[in-house]
Amino acid sequence: MRFLFLIFIINMHLFSDITILDGKIIQWQDFNNVPKKNIIWDEAKKYCKNLKEDGFSDWKLPTIDELFDAMLKTKDKPNSKVKDFTIVTHINYDTGHSASNYNYWTINTNAQDKKYAWTLNIYNTNITSFKKTDLCCSVRCVRIKDE
């Protein structure tokens, strides 16, 4: 069984970025495939639900803990396997200028107001609640493989 688990880990390193949190293997969407634009929360959820990558279709928005853990593990570590938790640059279609975004959506809804969801700013590690209809944040999907 340990041999099969090791093969699984090696394969995940070949195909995608991974982290381990609370004994769970978390596979991160390839950064090259991340949408280069801000989207609203429902679109982010739908995007992850419909994502097919590395032969898998069980992708989801990360929890705040998963996102924060991955960000901390990669901060100031340029050779980290979970690379490119960096700025998402996109074109602001209203102005025609490029814009940078540091905020990523999570699946976590604000318990005090369900119209808001939690985001993580990867530049300053601020956790902020944005209205789910705000066109404010990027998305990077995850999938969980429990041991």
Side-chain angles (χ1 to χ4, degrees):
M1 181 66 165
R2 288 182 192 193
F3 179 71
L4 291 174
F5 181 71
L6 181 59
I7 289 173
F8 175 75
I9 293 290
I10 291 169
N11 282 338
M12 289 191 72
H13 274 287
L14 292 175
F15 296 110
S16 291
D17 301 326
I18 67 164
T19 57
I20 298 177
L21 177 65
D22 297 332
K24 290 188 266 184
I25 299 168
I26 302 169
Q27 179 180 357
W28 291 89
Q29 175 187 14
D30 184 335
F31 185 75
N32 295 317
N33 298 333
V34 171
K36 302 297 189 265
K37 63 179 184 174
N38 287 344
I39 58 178
I40 65 172
W41 189 75
D42 282 335
E43 285 181 30
K45 277 182 37 180
K46 185 177 179 180
Y47 171 80
C48 289
K49 181 180 179 187
N50 294 328
L51 180 64
K52 292 180 181 25
E53 185 175 300
D54 284 347
F56 299 105
S57 60
D58 57 344
W59 298 91
K60 68 178 189 79
L61 275 178
T63 66
I64 195 71
D65 292 336
E66 292 163 351
L67 187 56
F68 193 75
D69 181 68
M71 192 270 315
L72 287 179
K73 287 178 179 173
T74 61
K75 195 171 179 84
D76 303 320
K77 295 178 186 169
N79 295 323
S80 174
K81 199 61 184 138
V82 183
K83 60 186 179 299
D84 297 320
F85 261 104
T86 56
I87 308 161
V88 174
T89 301
H90 62 279
I91 300 298
N92 181 326
Y93 294 104
D94 294 331
T95 65
H97 297 102
S98 65
S100 297
N101 185 28
Y102 302 97
N103 294 306
Y104 282 80
W105 285 115
T106 73
I107 195 64
N108 301 94
T109 298
N110 187 322
Q112 295 177 346
D113 189 341
K114 300 290 184 189
K115 294 178 185 173
Y116 290 78
W118 293 105
T119 66
L120 176 67
N121 183 306
I122 59 163
Y123 179 73
N124 59 22
T125 67
N126 284 345
I127 297 172
T128 308
S129 180
F130 280 101
K131 201 169 193 177
K132 292 178 180 179
T133 55
D134 286 347
L135 193 60
C136 64
C137 304
S138 299
V139 61
R140 189 164 183 193
C141 307
V142 297
R143 59 180 299 277
I144 307 300
K145 176 63 179 173
D146 291 317
E147 168 56 69

